[in-house]
Amino acid sequence: MLDVLKFDIDNLRMDENILKTKFKKREYPKFTKYKYKFYDSELFSDGKKNTEEEADPNKSKSYKQSHHYIYFVIKNGQKEGKLYFKQNIRRNWIDYKIVAGKKGIEYTDIIPRKPLMPRVMADLSYYNFIKIIELYAEELDIPINRLWGANVTQVELGVNLKFSTRIKTKNGFERMSLQGMLSSFGTLKNVPEKDTYGRSGVRFKADAFEISIYDKLKRIIFTKEIFKNKKESVKVQRRKKINKINHFIRYELRVKEVSSFRRESFAGKLDTLKNIKDNWDIILDSLFGTTDDIDFVDFLSPEIENDLILSQLDSKAKGLFYDYLIYQGVKKIGYTEFIRDIIPLVNSKTRKEFQAEVDKSYDKFRNKNHYNTSYEKMFLDTLNKRLDSLKIKPLLYKTSIYTS
């Protein structure tokens, strides 16, 4: 469930030998800054250097090299400093498993007998979250209670979802469109800013948080988690081949400022690592609850949409054709653009009534689906099932990377 986690621990005394052997030191006039040497770590690295970066000094750093940063800053002459931590802990857990496999280290993991996702897309479970925090405490020689009490300032919560491209309808099977699924996310309540990443993602941006829905397969190819040594043409071909069978979509809540995040269901549950651990299942339910604020544009596909329109227009009632024209007009403009650009032009005294009348006409076509499914229903059902699978369950068995 967790990806990037940003936290800090103040008034912390670090072991001198740890700082000397596992951090790179840089001195400034008033303070000293230590940067964790991630690739020299015995915990997460197999000791190989990033030869690609060394070969091309102008190339930007590989995301995998650090997954962000770990810094320890101490004012000159003092014995205690502040630890700054920003890591993709899900990626670090995957890296740890690879290293553990190479070194023959046994570890506890939660692995479904039939994994829902490729390993590289696996979501971090409750037990693996606890284990990765314990590993950091061990690696940095920090008392575990200090680490659990760390002040969390930023957190990314999300899950990866798998959708079959074949959808059963009463007329046989239809192909699911990734763009259709992504375009079904219309607006987010009280969040007017919406970005689209071409045809591969949608993001709603508020001051303290963002909600993103995007093509996870495209993302992990870009970050070189898979196919990293393949040519671009090969990557494109393999992505198309996979997308003929399945689409992988990530639903993600990024809390940019935990202290300013006002959603009631998350209150007091994200501000420390311990609170995240103690409220794990509640956070999963709250993450699903964020979808209550999403207004879905709910048609399954152009083909089904046309069938629905024809079935609705069998009547000769003139009012229905007016409603249909309103629907087509709003659809042409875009519902989000209609709310953002058209509604403000209407006189403020009649604006609310006008929007209600348009919504009523628009919904006569938008909300009817004779196929008992829709992108909204498919997405919410899959999201709910995936989040439920990550809730705390008894640890029934152990496994090593050799048997996973």
Side-chain angles (χ1 to χ4, degrees):
M1 175 181 67
L2 289 166
D3 264 19
V4 175
L5 193 61
K6 184 178 180 181
F7 63 79
D8 56 68
I9 306 175
D10 208 355
N11 301 318
L12 178 68
R13 179 175 293 191
M14 294 283 290
D15 182 90
E16 288 294 332
N17 187 55
I18 295 292
L19 291 175
K20 183 177 180 180
T21 59
K22 298 185 177 182
F23 286 76
K24 183 178 180 180
K25 181 179 179 180
R26 187 168 183 179
E27 295 182 342
Y28 295 87
K30 295 184 178 181
F31 63 91
T32 301
K33 183 176 183 179
Y34 296 85
K35 180 180 180 181
Y36 178 60
K37 297 188 291 186
F38 198 87
Y39 251 70
D40 290 339
S41 166
E42 294 181 359
L43 182 63
F44 298 107
S45 173
D46 59 8
K48 292 181 180 179
K49 297 291 184 181
N50 189 345
T51 55
E52 181 181 340
E53 184 184 353
E54 290 178 351
D56 185 358
N58 296 318
K59 192 177 184 65
S60 61
K61 287 186 176 181
S62 167
Y63 180 74
K64 185 180 177 182
Q65 187 179 8
S66 67
H67 304 316
H68 295 304
Y69 60 77
I70 300 176
Y71 294 133
F72 181 68
V73 179
I74 185 168
K75 292 182 179 179
N76 295 340
Q78 296 191 5
K79 295 182 178 180
E80 295 181 343
K82 190 169 186 176
L83 179 73
Y84 295 90
F85 180 108
K86 186 175 182 180
Q87 288 286 297
N88 187 320
I89 62 173
R90 184 189 66 86
R91 288 280 300 275
N92 286 352
W93 176 254
I94 292 173
D95 285 355
Y96 168 71
K97 290 198 296 181
I98 294 172
V99 174
K102 291 180 179 179
K103 296 183 178 181
I105 300 172
E106 292 287 332
Y107 63 92
T108 300
D109 197 1
I110 296 295
I111 301 175
R113 295 187 184 278
K114 292 184 178 180
L116 297 174
M117 287 285 175
R119 296 290 176 198
V120 72
M121 294 190 193
D123 296 306
L124 195 70
S125 74
Y126 172 75
Y127 296 104
N128 295 343
F129 166 59
I130 292 175
K131 182 62 177 178
I132 196 73
I133 298 301
E134 291 175 346
L135 288 170
Y136 281 123
E138 177 185 340
E139 172 77 354
L140 303 176
D141 196 19
I142 299 173
I144 188 62
N145 64 313
R146 290 299 310 273
L147 206 52
W148 283 121
N151 174 48
V152 177
T153 56
Q154 188 178 106
V155 62
E156 288 181 6
L157 308 170
V159 287
N160 298 321
L161 309 173
K162 182 172 75 172
F163 297 89
S164 171
T165 58
R166 282 165 58 86
I167 304 170
K168 189 174 182 179
T169 72
K170 68 179 183 180
N171 296 321
F173 286 90
E174 184 171 334
R175 196 162 185 78
M176 171 189 164
S177 163
L178 176 62
Q179 288 72 41
M181 171 71 80
L182 294 173
S183 65
S184 71
F185 292 87
T187 58
L188 182 66
K189 184 179 178 181
N190 297 325
V191 180
E193 189 171 353
K194 176 182 176 182
D195 290 340
T196 57
Y197 314 123
R199 303 172 68 186
S200 63
V202 177
R203 178 174 60 184
F204 301 101
K205 297 174 63 177
D207 291 337
F209 72 94
E210 296 175 356
I211 289 180
S212 299
I213 310 99
Y214 58 85
D215 182 347
K216 182 63 178 181
L217 179 61
K218 183 176 181 180
R219 178 67 60 86
I220 64 173
I221 292 174
F222 175 77
T223 55
K224 297 184 178 180
E225 295 174 71
I226 59 173
F227 312 149
K228 59 182 179 181
N229 296 320
K230 302 298 180 182
K231 296 179 179 179
E232 284 301 315
S233 58
V234 175
K235 292 179 182 180
V236 171
Q237 290 174 0
R238 291 192 177 183
R239 183 182 167 205
K240 287 181 178 179
K241 187 174 181 180
I242 294 171
N243 284 154
K244 287 182 179 179
I245 304 171
N246 291 305
H247 292 305
F248 296 93
I249 294 176
R250 181 161 184 82
Y251 183 76
E252 183 175 274
L253 168 66
R254 179 187 175 215
V255 181
K256 296 184 286 187
E257 297 178 20
V258 171
S259 60
S260 302
F261 188 46
R262 303 303 182 192
R263 193 174 181 91
E264 182 63 29
S265 60
F266 288 98
K269 300 175 181 66
L270 300 176
D271 54 340
T272 68
L273 295 180
K274 184 178 184 301
N275 283 341
I276 292 175
K277 175 170 66 76
D278 293 346
N279 294 282
W280 185 269
D281 285 359
I282 297 175
I283 293 171
L284 287 167
D285 288 336
S286 298
L287 182 58
F288 184 78
T290 59
T291 61
D292 291 341
D293 291 338
I294 296 175
D295 178 45
F296 288 86
V297 180
D298 195 16
F299 272 118
L300 185 59
S301 73
E303 291 76 17
I304 290 180
E305 181 178 345
N306 290 335
D307 288 343
L308 291 174
I309 289 173
L310 291 174
S311 68
Q312 290 299 300
L313 294 179
D314 285 341
S315 169
K316 294 183 179 180
K318 184 169 65 173
L320 190 59
F321 284 90
Y322 280 121
D323 292 335
Y324 174 59
L325 290 175
I326 290 173
Y327 161 73
Q328 287 287 11
V330 173
K331 179 187 169 189
K332 184 70 174 179
I333 297 170
Y335 188 79
T336 302
E337 290 72 15
F338 169 73
I339 296 296
R340 185 189 65 201
D341 300 332
I342 304 300
I343 290 297
L345 300 177
V346 181
N347 186 291
S348 59
K349 295 182 180 179
T350 60
R351 187 178 300 165
K352 187 174 181 180
E353 181 182 354
F354 171 73
Q355 182 177 344
E357 290 177 354
V358 171
D359 283 346
K360 183 178 180 181
S361 298
Y362 182 65
D363 287 346
K364 285 184 180 180
F365 293 92
R366 186 174 72 95
N367 289 335
K368 291 183 180 292
N369 194 325
H370 298 176
Y371 290 83
N372 195 33
T373 190
S374 64
Y375 284 132
E376 177 183 7
K377 185 176 186 303
M378 288 167 55
F379 177 82
L380 293 179
D381 287 350
T382 304
L383 176 63
N384 187 48
K385 184 178 179 180
R386 183 65 186 134
L387 290 172
D388 186 63
S389 74
L390 290 172
K391 289 185 176 179
I392 303 171
K393 297 176 178 64
L395 192 57
L396 299 178
Y397 60 94
K398 291 185 177 182
T399 182
S400 77
I401 197 160
Y402 299 113
T403 60
S404 63

